[in-house]
Amino acid sequence: NAGVTQTPKFRILKIGQSMTLQCAQDMNHNYMYWYRQDPGMGLKLIYYSVGAGITDKGEVPNGYNVSRSTTEDFPLRLELAAPSQTSVYFCASSPYSAAQYFGPGTRLLVL
Amino acid sequence: GQQLNQSPQSMFIQEGEDVSMNCTSSSIFNTWLWYKQDPGEGPVLLIALYKAGELTSNGRLTAQFGITRKDSFLNISASIPSDVGIYFCAGLPEYGNKLVFGAGTILRVKS
């Protein structure tokens, strides 16, 4: 099993550009999550999904969108990138709502 | 919302020493998790605790689910250089379905 994979590993965006951060898991987990981690801080939940076709907002959803058309994939979309979205983004999955398994992260810089 | 207070914020210890860190809250949690994050990587699950009073080991790591259900502790015995990293606690609140994360403890080891 590859576990949770994320692409790209690193990206630089200009203000106002859009991009999609990809996340995939091969563990057949129902739950998937997107977090952002700012320097020296803990993880903040952006969006989560409890199964294909079901998504919900987390603590900091503004400026982001998600979709969950399959169990395996949970892409995160940034429509109009802003400097405040410079961060490291982690995708995670879990078989239920407790123990979560994280991907390696995507480092995003918005200039 | 629920918050987790993780302490200490950072530690700089001698190789071979034991390490203790903890996570406390004013709210009750049903699950406690401990993660380790290496530089440039995603958090990796170390130990999961599901019952008050539970004591669980993973090699040189031992974690406990506090009796009050409002705290958890992680101990690392005989530290080695590869223990360096950031350790996060996370908890699933009694009345909630989303993990709450602590801000992390930065561990540095002098060899």
Side-chain angles (χ1 to χ4, degrees):
Chain A
N1 283 353
V4 179
T5 57
Q6 292 183 240
T7 56
K9 288 188 178 174
F10 178 66
R11 182 80 183 265
I12 299 175
L13 280 183
K14 293 183 180 175
I15 294 172
Q17 284 186 320
S18 61
M19 77 165 292
T20 299
L21 282 67
Q22 301 292 345
C23 173
Q25 53 94 8
D26 61 0
M27 297 174 282
N28 203 33
H29 288 169
N30 285 326
Y31 292 74
M32 295 187 76
Y33 311 82
W34 275 105
Y35 293 90
R36 60 177 287 172
Q37 184 179 38
D38 298 320
M41 307 288 284
L43 294 156
K44 293 187 178 177
L45 183 65
I46 305 171
Y47 269 96
Y48 68 102
S49 168
V50 301
I54 307 169
T55 62
D56 207 349
K57 295 178 181 178
E59 186 184 352
V60 290
N62 291 344
Y64 307 95
N65 271 303
V66 293
S67 59
R68 183 96 183 269
S69 56
T70 66
T71 299
E72 294 78 20
D73 300 298
F74 190 40
L76 178 72
R77 179 91 179 148
L78 282 71
E79 288 295 348
L80 290 168
S84 61
Q85 292 178 305
T86 292
S87 190
V88 182
Y89 292 84
F90 289 104
C91 178
S93 72
S94 68
Y96 50 93
S97 61
Q100 297 177 16
Y101 298 88
F102 286 82
T106 293
R107 283 144 190 81
L108 177 65
L109 180 60
V110 182
L111 299 173
Chain B
Q2 294 96 345
Q3 283 190 320
L4 292 182
N5 300 308
Q6 191 171 347
S7 65
Q9 284 187 324
S10 66
M11 306 179 74
F12 194 11
I13 62 166
Q14 191 73 38
E15 182 178 358
E17 286 184 354
D18 295 344
V19 173
S20 290
M21 59 190 79
N22 67 74
C23 215
T24 62
S25 176
S26 58
S27 305
I28 289 174
F29 286 78
N30 286 339
T31 298
W32 288 97
L33 307 169
W34 285 92
Y35 288 87
K36 183 192 178 202
Q37 185 176 25
D38 290 327
E41 303 289 332
V44 173
L45 182 63
L46 299 173
I47 293 178
L49 303 159
Y50 299 105
K51 239 166 61 166
E54 183 180 351
L55 189 71
T56 298
S57 292
N58 178 4
R60 292 178 296 106
L61 278 62
T62 301
Q64 183 161 26
F65 191 139
I67 288 289
T68 64
R69 297 170 66 194
K70 295 182 179 181
D71 55 13
S72 179
F73 307 87
L74 176 70
N75 294 314
I76 305 172
S77 63
S79 59
I80 59 178
S82 61
D83 290 334
V84 163
I86 305 175
Y87 291 80
F88 289 100
C89 63
L92 187 65
E94 182 180 31
Y95 300 114
N97 63 351
K98 294 186 279 292
L99 281 184
V100 178
F101 284 85
T105 293
I106 301 170
L107 179 63
R108 298 184 180 90
V109 178
K110 288 185 284 189
S111 55

